[in-house]
């Protein structure tokens, strides 16, 4: 697989035209600031009364309505939550695009599942940094960057790939390295990773471990430390150097326990359930269910989320985290 760097990019394909960033959340803010610092003429498109209007204006951006920004720009980057794309696109963006304009996403969900259907004369591209917005901004500011995925769904102008790779370069992605993918591959692997490993799988494993220990009579505080708190230490090692670095920095006793007990917990049955999750993503079941849940006002979502936030491990965690001043300082800095 080829990794694309600054030498492969043509930033002028983006920098020579006005860019509209729709949304000013975590990714929107980072993309907008990085593009601006890279010499782009950036405007921000927000709904009337948006809570982020003042922040965007304080950063020196011109803020317009989504419709006005879409009409003024040659490249429109939709960086709002997935479920907002359809309404925003149909009512405010699509009517204001011209032939040869580019529509950019940071995730392929709404295009892959046809919630958004751009006209045939519009370039449809994706640039997906593999990190949260604050990291995308911090790495850019220190002259580095966060690796990106980029893709072309529709090439109407013959320059869509140049625009995608150029945009990736302008936000710092080609300093670290950009990899070309497809909307389908990015979306399906992203959803699977979130559901089976990063969010769904990891949190269920943590809670199951906590419950196993507390039900066996161990103190909730000890169970919290062992099953949740120390997870960060392991994840950091994996992030920095994979399985090899983790094994270099944990004890032989821990390694032995890893090798003999890991496969007892994550086994063929677990992998079968993972394949079920992937199948639901690939055949569109997950997307249809999520869209239907949103259209119904998210009653099941809200009930499940409330139950998740009220688990005993959360009460234990609140007490223990209050004893960790470095976490309190981190929250103040983030604010």
């Amino acid at each position: 697989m080829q990794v694309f760097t600054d030498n492969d990019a043509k930033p002028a394909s983006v920098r020579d035209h006005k860019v509209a960033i729709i949304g000013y959340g975590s990714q929107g803010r980072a993309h907008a600031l990085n593009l601006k610092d890279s010499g782009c003429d950036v405007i921000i498109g927000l709904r009337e009364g948006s809570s982020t209007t003042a922040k965007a204006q304080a950063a020196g951006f011109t803020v317009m309505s989504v419709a006005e920004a879409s009409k003024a720009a040659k490249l429109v980057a939709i960086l709002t939550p997935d479920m907002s794309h359809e309404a925003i696109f149909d009512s405010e963006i699509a009517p204001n695009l011209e032939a040869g304009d580019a529509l950019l996403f940071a995730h392929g969900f709404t295009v892959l599942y046809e919630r958004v259907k751009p006209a045939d004369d519009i370039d449809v591209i994706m640039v997906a940094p593999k990190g949260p917005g604050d990291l995308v901004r911090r790495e850019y500011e220190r002259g580095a960057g966060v690796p990106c995925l980029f893709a072309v769904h529709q090439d109407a102008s013959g320059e869509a790939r140049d625009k995608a790779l150029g945009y990736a370069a302008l936000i710092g992605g080609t300093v670290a390295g950009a990899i070309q993918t497809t909307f389908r591959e990015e979306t399906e692997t992203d959803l699977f990773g979130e559901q089976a490993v990063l969010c769904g799988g990891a949190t269920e494993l943590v809670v199951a471990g906590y419950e196993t220990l507390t039900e066996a009579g161990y103190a909730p505080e000890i169970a919290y430390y062992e099953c949740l708190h120390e997870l960060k230490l392991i994840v950091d090692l994996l992030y920095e150097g994979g399985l090899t670095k983790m094994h270099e920095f944990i004890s032989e006793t821990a390694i032995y326990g890893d090798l003999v007990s890991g496969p007892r917990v994550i086994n063929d049955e677990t992998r079968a359930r993972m394949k079920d999750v992937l199948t639901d993503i690939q055949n569109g079941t997950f997307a249809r269910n999520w869209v239907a849940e949103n259209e119904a006002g998210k009653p099941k979502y809200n009930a499940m989320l409330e139950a998740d936030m009220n688990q005993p491990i959360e009460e234990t965690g609140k007490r223990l985290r209050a004893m960790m001043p470095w976490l309190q300082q981190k929250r103040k800095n983030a604010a």
Side-chain angles (χ1 to χ4, degrees):
M1 179 175 289
Q2 182 178 356
V3 177
F4 296 86
T5 65
D6 285 345
N7 293 332
D8 303 302
K10 297 178 181 178
S13 61
V14 175
R15 192 161 46 206
D16 288 351
H17 307 283
K18 195 181 295 292
V19 176
I21 300 295
I22 310 302
Y24 199 72
S26 174
Q27 288 290 342
R29 174 182 176 275
H31 289 217
L33 289 170
N34 291 4
L35 289 167
K36 179 184 176 184
D37 289 349
S38 292
C40 294
D41 183 3
V42 180
I43 54 177
I44 307 298
L46 297 174
R47 69 180 189 281
E48 185 177 354
S50 171
S51 61
T52 58
T53 297
K55 291 181 181 179
Q57 291 173 332
F61 292 109
T62 297
V63 177
M64 302 179 176
S65 69
V66 174
E68 291 171 332
S70 300
K71 189 174 184 63
K74 289 295 291 180
L75 187 152
V76 178
I78 303 181
L79 300 177
T80 59
D82 292 333
M83 290 299 107
S84 69
H85 290 185
E86 184 176 8
I88 292 173
F89 180 76
D90 289 345
S91 64
E92 300 187 69
I93 297 176
N96 292 294
L97 296 178
E98 298 179 354
D101 285 353
L103 191 63
L104 181 143
F105 298 84
H107 180 39
F109 186 98
T110 47
V111 172
L112 177 64
Y113 297 115
E114 299 185 334
R115 307 304 299 174
V116 167
K117 299 177 182 179
D120 293 341
D121 57 3
I122 302 298
D123 290 338
V124 182
I125 58 179
M126 176 176 61
V127 175
K130 301 313 292 177
D134 62 336
L135 183 64
V136 172
R137 180 58 179 162
R138 289 200 313 271
E139 288 299 291
Y140 178 93
E141 287 181 306
R142 72 181 192 89
V146 171
C148 287
L149 302 180
F150 73 98
V152 174
H153 176 75
Q154 188 167 284
D155 184 8
S157 70
E159 299 177 352
R161 187 174 177 278
D162 286 344
K163 293 175 185 178
L165 193 53
Y167 185 102
L170 291 165
I171 65 170
T174 51
V175 176
I179 296 174
Q180 188 164 7
T181 183
T182 64
F183 272 61
R184 178 173 296 279
E185 182 176 57
E186 186 277 336
T187 302
E188 291 179 351
T189 57
D190 185 77
L191 293 175
F192 176 80
E194 290 170 348
Q195 295 174 33
V197 181
L198 305 177
C199 303
T203 55
E204 286 300 315
L205 188 64
V206 165
V207 171
Y210 174 88
E211 291 175 345
T212 299
L213 288 178
T214 55
E215 288 169 5
Y218 296 100
E221 294 78 8
I222 303 302
Y224 178 89
Y225 279 132
E226 294 301 330
C227 295
L228 190 153
H229 179 78
E230 292 192 22
L231 181 63
K232 182 182 186 306
L233 307 178
I234 301 302
V235 170
D236 284 349
L237 293 172
L238 291 169
Y239 180 79
E240 293 165 7
L243 300 177
T244 300
K245 184 164 185 177
M246 184 196 75
H247 287 144
E248 288 176 356
F249 284 83
I250 64 176
S251 70
E252 285 189 328
T253 302
I255 294 173
Y256 180 69
D258 167 359
L259 298 175
V260 300
S261 295
R264 298 170 65 191
V265 177
I266 307 300
N267 52 32
D268 288 343
E269 182 180 355
T270 312
R271 292 186 182 89
R273 300 291 78 75
M274 285 184 167
K275 289 179 180 178
D276 291 342
V277 169
L278 182 57
T279 296
D280 282 352
I281 293 168
Q282 291 173 325
N283 65 24
T285 298
F286 171 78
R288 288 192 296 273
N289 289 346
W290 177 220
V291 169
E293 179 66 15
N294 271 268
E295 291 175 346
K298 299 191 284 192
K300 294 178 182 177
Y301 171 93
N302 290 329
M304 290 187 293
L305 182 60
E306 182 178 3
D308 208 34
M309 296 299 96
N310 290 326
Q311 296 190 73
I313 192 172
E314 281 296 279
E315 290 303 314
T316 302
K318 288 177 185 177
R319 295 197 307 273
L320 293 178
R321 288 191 293 271
M323 300 162 49
M324 305 174 192
W326 61 91
L327 294 180
Q328 313 310 316
Q329 186 60 46
K330 187 173 181 179
R331 289 194 190 94
K332 290 180 182 177
N333 292 340

